[in-house]
Amino acid sequence: MDERNFTYMFYGLAAAWTTIVLYVLTLVTRENKLKTEVETLKNLIKERKV
Amino acid sequence: MREKLIYALGIVAALYLVRNLYVMLLQLPDELAQGPIYRIFYFHLPGYFTGATCFFLGGVFSILYLVTRKWKWDSLAVSVTEVGLPFAAMNLITGMIWGRIIWGIWWTWDPRLTAALISALIYAGYLMLRKAIPDPTERAKNSAVMAIFAFTSVIFTYKSNEWFRTQHPAPVLSLRTGGGTIEPAMEWMLFHNWMALLMLAALFIAIRWNQEERRREIESLRREALAY
């Protein structure tokens, strides 16, 4: 059996997990951005009301 | 309550995936012809099925939006469609790595592979379309129509290795072949990992849905801010 067979199996599994991790990072980054934006807009409206 | 459910789902999905990794790496034997690399299939096939399930739900939620005009369905449609995309990417990337060893090439413009790539690109286009339309009603209506038509690409990809002569392996699941093409323990592992990835997808959808609701809140706050 080709030695690369085993190595590429790990590449495949690593690629699958990397895809998931990258999407989780996207979700986390977006979550933080949205929270900040909501807070900023709420403060802006409060300031304008005053 | 929703947050606690999200955490619980995350923990269960993670444990299920760890259990599946243990079984696929340490308990199941190598495949006779392919050797250890066949284990890539435990992510390649479930990745495709999870993506296809998400895209199917995206189509269903889009129909529900067009019928009811309720924002909830639009939010759910974009959430499931976006979550389906990384699983479609997982299917494509793991397939390429498997192909490098078994076929000796990273990629070929074979009908099955090409259909899967085009399908993923169509759904990426769906997300880009949403970003390009500023009016929420227009955005929801146009993207719902696109999601419904886009699902035909998923069906085309699924059936392509029956309709065309392809380099891609023929169907192996007993649901399609009637049995005898795959060792039952290996087939069960495929279903177990599909369930685990579906749980993971459900977790992502719940998080993404929350974010979409927040985005809608931002749009309304922006209008309010402009009014002052």
Side-chain angles (χ1 to χ4, degrees), chain A residues 1-2 6 12 18-22 33 35 47-49:
Chain A
M1 189 69 63
D2 190 340
F6 200 71
T18 307
T19 315
I20 291 172
V21 169
L22 285 177
K33 265 189 196 168
K35 271 184 186 167
E47 276 172 24
R48 288 189 179 179
K49 270 184 182 172

Side-chain angles (χ1 to χ4, degrees), chain B residues 3-227:
Chain B
E3 275 200 2
K4 277 185 184 170
L5 272 175
I6 288 175
Y7 284 129
L9 189 59
I11 292 165
V12 174
L15 290 173
Y16 199 10
L17 278 165
V18 170
R19 176 258 173 208
N20 286 350
L21 272 178
Y22 171 76
V23 176
M24 76 177 72
L25 291 173
L26 300 173
Q27 289 195 337
L28 288 174
D30 289 350
E31 206 265 345
L32 197 62
Q34 297 183 26
I37 201 162
Y38 92 98
R39 287 183 177 85
I40 283 181
F41 282 151
Y42 294 134
F43 283 91
H44 177 70
L45 258 80
Y48 173 75
F49 287 138
T50 309
T53 309
C54 289
F55 297 146
F56 170 72
L57 289 174
V60 171
F61 293 145
S62 296
I63 292 171
L64 286 171
Y65 170 75
L66 290 176
V67 172
T68 65
R69 301 285 165 161
K70 285 185 178 164
W71 291 118
K72 176 178 80 174
W73 299 121
D74 177 58
S75 300
L76 273 167
V78 63
S79 304
V80 292
T81 306
E82 190 193 283
V83 169
L85 211 50
F87 290 101
M90 178 193 287
N91 168 259
L92 284 167
I93 298 165
T94 52
M96 285 169 70
I97 295 169
W98 176 86
R100 181 70 186 92
I101 291 298
I102 301 297
W103 295 338
I105 45 170
W106 290 102
W107 184 264
T108 174
W109 295 103
D110 163 276
R112 185 62 173 280
L113 276 67
T114 311
L117 176 66
I118 290 173
S119 185
L121 291 175
I122 289 173
Y123 281 102
Y126 165 92
L127 295 176
M128 287 161 76
L129 175 81
R130 289 190 68 92
K131 285 197 179 226
I133 306 175
D135 178 56
T137 314
E138 281 297 305
R139 182 201 306 146
K141 190 177 69 184
N142 287 308
S143 53
V145 172
M146 186 175 176
I148 295 163
F149 282 104
F151 189 68
T152 54
S153 72
V154 178
I155 299 168
F156 186 85
T157 307
Y158 182 73
K159 299 295 278 180
S160 60
N161 65 346
E162 288 175 20
W163 293 342
F164 304 98
R165 282 177 60 185
T166 88
Q167 190 167 333
H168 190 276
V172 289
L173 295 181
S174 50
L175 285 170
R176 291 181 78 181
T177 61
T181 46
I182 183 172
E183 162 68 30
M186 291 174 176
E187 186 172 29
W188 270 110
M189 188 68 241
L190 285 169
F191 289 126
H192 275 300
N193 226 30
W194 181 26
M195 286 303 117
L197 291 187
L198 274 181
M199 286 170 81
L200 205 60
L203 169 73
F204 293 159
I205 291 163
I207 296 169
R208 184 64 185 83
W209 190 20
N210 272 345
Q211 290 181 347
E212 198 56 29
E213 296 293 311
R214 193 163 288 152
R215 186 168 280 173
R216 229 172 269 288
E217 187 190 345
I218 288 171
E219 279 174 358
S220 128
L221 285 170
R222 272 189 194 144
R223 280 195 293 274
E224 200 181 331
L226 282 173

